[in-house]
Amino acid sequence: MHALVTGGAGFIGSNLVDALVARGDRPAVVDNLSTGRRRNLEAALATGARLHVVDIVDAEALRAVVDAERPEVIFHLAAQIDVRRSVEDPARDARTNVEGTINVLEAARA
């Protein structure tokens, strides 16, 4: 199965990517690396997983990744989860968590 994992360089996402690789799937990752880490994906990248350093808020860039990867399934784990950051900048929080999710859905639909 060809999968795309948003937020795939984070703790949960990278474990999902590792599990997909272990079962023989072909995962690609979208992550802006703001909290996720490339090192979380080292083993998966070494076995053929692909990392796209893209923010889900960037609809055009995300759409280009989805168009290029043509995944059969998208696991959407990208999010802004820091409560302090949410309180400090609720608009940014909404852009990531609401608009970003809409961008993922629209890219999948297209």
Side-chain angles (χ1 to χ4, degrees), residues 12-59:
I12 295 171
S14 64
N15 279 282
L16 173 58
V17 170
D18 288 342
L20 291 169
V21 167
R23 70 179 215 175
D25 294 328
R26 299 177 321 275
V29 173
V30 169
D31 202 299
N32 68 2
L33 301 178
S34 63
T35 58
R37 301 289 173 250
R38 185 181 303 266
R39 70 176 173 265
N40 291 344
L41 295 169
E42 285 177 356
L45 293 173
T47 61
R50 291 160 313 287
L51 171 61
H52 300 273
V53 181
V54 168
D55 193 321
I56 62 169
V57 173
D58 185 343

Side-chain angles (χ1 to χ4, degrees), residues 12-109:
I12 295 171
S14 64
N15 279 282
L16 173 58
V17 170
D18 288 342
L20 291 169
V21 167
R23 70 179 215 175
D25 294 328
R26 299 177 321 275
V29 173
V30 169
D31 202 299
N32 68 2
L33 301 178
S34 63
T35 58
R37 301 289 173 250
R38 185 181 303 266
R39 70 176 173 265
N40 291 344
L41 295 169
E42 285 177 356
L45 293 173
T47 61
R50 291 160 313 287
L51 171 61
H52 300 273
V53 181
V54 168
D55 193 321
I56 62 169
V57 173
D58 185 343
E60 187 175 314
L62 179 63
R63 175 87 180 261
V65 170
V66 172
D67 286 349
E69 290 291 342
R70 313 262 319 142
E72 297 168 73
V73 63
I74 297 175
F75 296 93
H76 177 42
L77 303 175
Q80 192 304 106
I81 61 166
D82 187 319
V83 174
R84 291 169 297 191
R85 201 177 231 181
S86 173
V87 170
E88 291 169 7
D89 190 355
R92 181 166 193 251
D93 187 80
R95 277 192 303 277
T96 299
N97 293 335
V98 178
E99 184 180 337
T101 296
I102 291 168
N103 292 342
V104 172
L105 294 171
E106 282 296 319
R109 182 187 63 78

